[in-house]
Amino acid sequence: MNPGSYPEDLPFEDILTLEQSELVSRLIDTQLWIGDSVVNGILDAVDAASATTVNVSKTGFTSTTAIAKVDEYAALIPAEVRGAANVALYLSFAEFDKYLINMRQANYYHFAPDFNTADGVTHPGMDNLKVIPVMGLAGSTRKVIAADGNINIGFDNELDSSEFQRWYSMDNQSLRFRIRYKLGAAIAFPTQLVNIN
């Protein structure tokens, strides 16, 4: 703490701001995927279109079967998506961990010896299919396969979610934060999406 009894700035303000930014980022990711009472997320859009999506049972996805299950899911990718340059299987980090364990057990180190989690892992034998973990599916076993551009995310102003206000409040004798943003998610072509539910 700075000396004196009336500090209006804290030496660790930047650390608090970074923590708040990470919390907001997780919240936005969860709202985008799972939604909440205010925001309809990607899964809400998928469920609303489930009569036209390719629907698959999620059962049997374990640390010993994950690779085979992704092969099964990939075989169901609609023909018009199959040849797309970038297709992704989105899943939670817990489900992604099962996939990685299965890759290690199968000695598939040569497919992803070094990778960035945000970019995911290219599925063995399919150059255009990446398995990508997302924070927004935490606690869920749901999975979605979609080509780039089929899942659309929109913000009123993208900067709103990353640039929030911070000030010292004399009234409350505390550091205050405020963030406001608008966002939404939609599926462009439900028939070209694999819903693993």
Side-chain angles (χ1 to χ4, degrees):
M1 298 290 290
N2 293 327
S5 299
Y6 298 99
E8 292 189 16
D9 55 77
L10 301 170
F12 44 84
E13 278 182 34
D14 290 338
I15 294 170
L16 287 173
T17 300
L18 181 62
E19 286 179 0
Q20 290 298 314
S21 178
E22 289 172 359
L23 287 171
V24 168
S25 179
R26 281 191 226 122
L27 172 66
I28 288 173
D29 208 35
T30 300
Q31 286 177 319
L32 283 173
W33 279 97
I34 298 178
D36 60 21
S37 60
V38 178
V39 178
N40 285 333
I42 293 166
L43 294 183
D44 293 320
V46 170
D47 290 343
S50 65
T52 58
T53 61
V54 177
N55 297 299
V56 185
S57 170
K58 65 186 175 187
T59 59
F61 193 92
T62 69
S63 60
T64 57
T65 64
I67 294 170
K69 293 304 282 186
V70 174
D71 285 339
E72 285 178 30
Y73 305 153
L76 298 170
I77 295 173
E80 58 269 33
V81 178
R82 195 104 171 147
N86 296 306
V87 180
L89 165 63
Y90 299 101
L91 69 174
S92 71
F93 276 87
E95 295 291 276
F96 184 68
D97 288 344
K98 294 175 187 176
Y99 180 76
L100 289 182
I101 290 168
N102 198 193
M103 286 190 82
R104 286 194 306 269
Q105 290 172 344
N107 201 22
Y108 281 178
Y109 294 103
H110 55 291
F111 281 101
D114 186 22
F115 67 92
N116 179 339
T117 305
D119 294 333
V121 174
T122 300
H123 184 63
M126 294 192 72
D127 291 342
N128 68 333
L129 178 63
K130 288 218 171 182
V131 180
I132 302 176
V134 291
M135 187 64 67
L137 289 174
S140 174
T141 56
R142 297 274 308 261
K143 300 166 192 66
V144 174
I145 297 177
D148 270 1
N150 199 11
I151 296 176
N152 297 291
I153 298 166
F155 286 88
D156 174 42
N157 180 354
E158 195 168 352
L159 293 176
D160 283 349
S161 64
S162 60
E163 295 180 4
F164 52 93
Q165 297 172 322
R166 171 183 82 181
W167 71 96
Y168 180 79
S169 168
M170 288 294 288
D171 292 338
N172 298 304
Q173 301 278 311
S174 63
L175 183 64
R176 311 288 282 188
F177 294 91
R178 183 173 76 166
I179 182 167
R180 298 180 72 142
Y181 55 88
K182 299 177 194 98
L183 60 90
I187 306 300
F189 305 104
T191 58
Q192 297 179 14
L193 188 136
V194 180
N195 175 21
I196 302 140
N197 187 2

